[in-house]
Amino acid sequence: MKVTFLEGQIMKALSGFYYVYCEGETYQCRARGNFRKRGLTPLVGDHVVFQADNVKEGYVLDLLPRKNTLVRPPIANVDLALLVFSAVEPDFSANLADRFLVAIELEDVTPVICISKLDLADEARKAEIADYQAVYEEAGYQVLLTNTEIDKKTVLDVIAGKIAVIAGQSGVGKSTLLNTLNPDLDIETGVISFVLGRGKHTTRHVELMTIGSGFIADTPGFSSIEMDELTTENLQFCFPEIDRRRGECKFRGCIHENEPKCAVKTAVANGEIAAFRYEHYIQILTEVKNKKERY
């Protein structure tokens, strides 16, 4: 009897089973092979080689190369991260936004900033958000402004054909956004909780939900953003407007703090780099240096 090997993508992982999508069918599989010996664990998002006689009894045999891996949530081959912040309730925090952006940039995932609840903001706050939007777009980020009447097409176009994760504080409207994009999901507000720091999570497994022609991970999310891989050298790559100018500094190893003839500091002084973005860069740089000293 000829054994047929198939290629598919893991859509869900639950209780030792992997649900692999291939050509319109989803196969329930167990892992077979020496994954443990090789120190590998199949993850949602993985492209895999598997065999199956029917949709209920399949076996994952091998993992195909990954482009990236997130630890929290445990997922592979992520294309973009929808970073959701609210204009009000809670108020938009550029500091928090920049920390999320650094964490996502570090994982080689494309971030898309989504600012919600503009319909609840007064004119002064709307003007403030417009200023932030201009700064982030100038840096190179895509910024989506949403309210209760979310422009579904814009968000669906961003996600189309991609695997995305969604992140943000509690209460910023992530579940509302997902339900608007796909009403069939019927997610209870607060069930998908992505928080910076410690938080309670009610979702216990990782699953890719269909959103238009793309997928979003339904996961407990970023329970904390440790940024353990950050160094004084690679932090600058996580700020695109700083990264673009680093080659213009006089000293090759410039980290844009106290060095003379630094192109980044000149750009800040000239208003070409937003002062608040540079302040947050220096804050995180100081934290990374202090952490290094402690260890």
Side-chain angles (χ1 to χ4, degrees):
M1 179 178 159
K2 186 182 175 185
V3 177
T4 304
F5 296 103
L6 303 167
E7 286 188 14
Q9 189 168 29
I10 298 176
M11 294 286 119
K12 179 168 75 169
L14 180 63
S15 304
F17 287 104
Y18 299 96
Y19 296 84
V20 182
Y21 180 81
C22 173
E23 296 180 357
E25 291 279 8
T26 299
Y27 296 82
Q28 180 177 282
C29 300
R30 289 192 179 276
R32 180 181 274 177
N34 59 353
F35 291 116
R36 196 167 289 174
K37 278 184 187 171
R38 289 184 287 162
L40 294 173
T41 301
L43 297 176
V44 167
D46 268 329
H47 295 281
V48 299
V49 176
F50 72 103
Q51 66 179 78
D53 295 329
N54 56 65
V55 295
K56 290 290 184 185
E57 298 173 80
Y59 291 95
V60 175
L61 303 174
D62 205 0
L63 306 183
L64 298 175
R66 295 167 175 165
K67 76 172 186 178
N68 57 32
T69 309
L70 298 186
V71 176
R72 285 181 294 268
I75 185 170
N77 300 312
V78 177
D79 299 303
L80 64 87
L82 269 181
L83 304 181
V84 185
F85 307 97
S86 53
V88 293
E89 299 174 13
D91 290 349
F92 179 78
S93 164
N95 195 318
L96 190 63
D98 287 344
R99 287 171 182 273
F100 268 111
L101 286 167
V102 167
I104 294 300
E105 291 276 9
L106 199 58
E107 301 296 345
D108 196 25
V109 175
T110 301
V112 175
I113 300 167
C114 183
I115 303 178
S116 66
K117 301 188 185 179
L118 275 169
D119 52 317
L120 304 180
D122 60 22
E123 292 308 312
R125 177 50 56 89
K126 285 178 182 174
E128 193 179 301
I129 295 297
D131 289 342
Y132 280 124
Q133 180 184 13
V135 168
Y136 286 112
E137 287 180 341
E138 176 66 26
Y141 294 112
Q142 184 170 8
V143 181
L144 307 178
L145 303 181
T146 67
N147 52 36
T148 48
E149 296 300 317
I150 293 167
D151 182 353
K152 283 175 64 171
K153 186 179 184 306
T154 303
V155 183
L156 290 173
D157 285 348
V158 166
I159 299 167
K162 295 182 171 65
I163 289 181
V165 292
I166 186 167
Q169 287 172 287
S170 292
V172 295
K174 297 176 300 296
S175 299
T176 303
L177 176 62
L178 290 173
N179 284 333
T180 304
L181 295 172
N182 184 352
D184 293 341
L185 296 175
D186 194 24
I187 299 164
E188 288 179 40
T189 304
V191 168
I192 298 183
S193 180
F194 295 80
V195 292
L196 197 68
R198 296 184 184 182
K200 294 178 181 177
H201 307 300
T202 51
T203 309
R204 296 297 176 198
H205 66 280
V206 183
E207 181 173 357
L208 290 177
M209 303 179 295
T210 303
I211 303 283
S213 63
F215 300 97
I216 285 186
D218 172 6
T219 78
F222 302 92
S223 58
S224 63
I225 294 183
E226 305 280 351
M227 300 192 276
D228 289 336
E229 297 159 33
L230 264 186
T231 64
T232 52
E233 291 77 26
N234 70 13
L235 174 61
Q236 59 192 316
F237 305 138
C238 300
F239 284 78
E241 64 272 57
I242 291 176
D243 184 30
R244 285 196 292 270
R245 290 172 172 85
R246 62 188 171 84
E248 300 166 23
C249 297
K250 181 178 181 183
F251 296 101
R252 192 172 175 183
C254 186
I255 58 171
H256 324 299
E257 187 182 25
N258 300 314
E259 301 89 340
K261 297 189 178 176
C262 168
V264 169
K265 287 190 291 182
T266 300
V268 175
N270 293 341
E272 295 163 11
I273 290 178
F276 77 85
R277 287 276 288 167
Y278 179 69
E279 284 167 21
H280 297 160
Y281 167 80
I282 292 296
Q283 279 177 20
I284 298 171
L285 180 70
T286 304
E287 289 169 26
V288 171
K289 287 167 77 174
N290 289 343
K291 189 173 181 181
K292 214 171 181 180
E293 285 168 12
R294 284 204 304 274
Y295 292 105

